[in-house]
Amino acid sequence: MNTKRGSRVTRSAKDKTDWLKLKSTPDSAIRFTKDAPRTSPTEWAEAIAHHGLPVPVRKEQIALRVDADVLEWFRAQGAGWQTRMNEVLKTYRAAMARKVRAEHRHAADAHKDARR
């Protein structure tokens, strides 16, 4: 017997759904629960609207040495602290890029003024 995950043997052993019975069941026979609540067409439209959005940039795992007090502060912010730390770094990167662009504009303007 092939027990490799996703194999036909394993998949058919797990799948005990009676698909013919399910297909013939009318919508009125569906029982909604806390785990499977009733949904509205608007909710489905919103879910479909998100389909096809760009996949977020893949994050890369690294080893990073950070001062203990900085790490403690981020961790104290609760769940999502690593994401917030990443946002701080992205904000810093954007600020530095703006600074470099401004310096280039300033240098170009000074060069133009010197040529006049």
Side-chain angles (χ1 to χ4, degrees):
M1 178 171 121
N2 185 354
T3 59
K4 182 177 176 184
R5 185 175 177 173
S7 70
R8 190 172 53 129
V9 173
T10 303
R11 198 170 42 241
S12 63
K14 284 184 173 181
D15 190 1
K16 297 179 181 174
T17 303
D18 183 346
W19 291 106
L20 292 175
K21 181 179 177 185
L22 183 63
K23 286 179 183 180
S24 65
T25 303
D27 288 350
S28 60
I30 297 173
R31 289 185 312 217
F32 296 100
T33 66
K34 182 179 178 182
D35 292 331
R38 182 181 301 273
T39 56
S40 70
T42 303
E43 291 170 310
W44 282 99
E46 288 173 0
I48 292 170
H50 291 283
H51 179 75
L53 289 177
V55 176
V57 176
R58 184 177 77 71
K59 293 187 178 180
E60 201 168 313
Q61 185 173 357
I62 62 166
L64 176 67
R65 294 189 182 274
V66 179
D67 290 344
D69 60 331
V70 173
L71 186 58
E72 182 182 335
W73 185 84
F74 272 99
R75 283 182 172 161
Q77 306 309 305
W81 67 268
Q82 291 167 315
T83 300
R84 281 189 294 281
M85 185 181 270
N86 188 55
E87 288 301 317
V88 168
L89 292 169
K90 286 167 58 173
T91 302
Y92 179 79
R93 178 193 64 190
M96 291 299 102
R98 283 192 302 273
K99 180 180 175 185
V100 167
R101 284 193 301 272
E103 289 171 355
H104 283 273
R105 279 194 305 273
H106 179 68
D109 291 345
H111 182 69
K112 284 180 190 176
D113 290 343
R115 292 179 61 190
R116 290 184 194 173

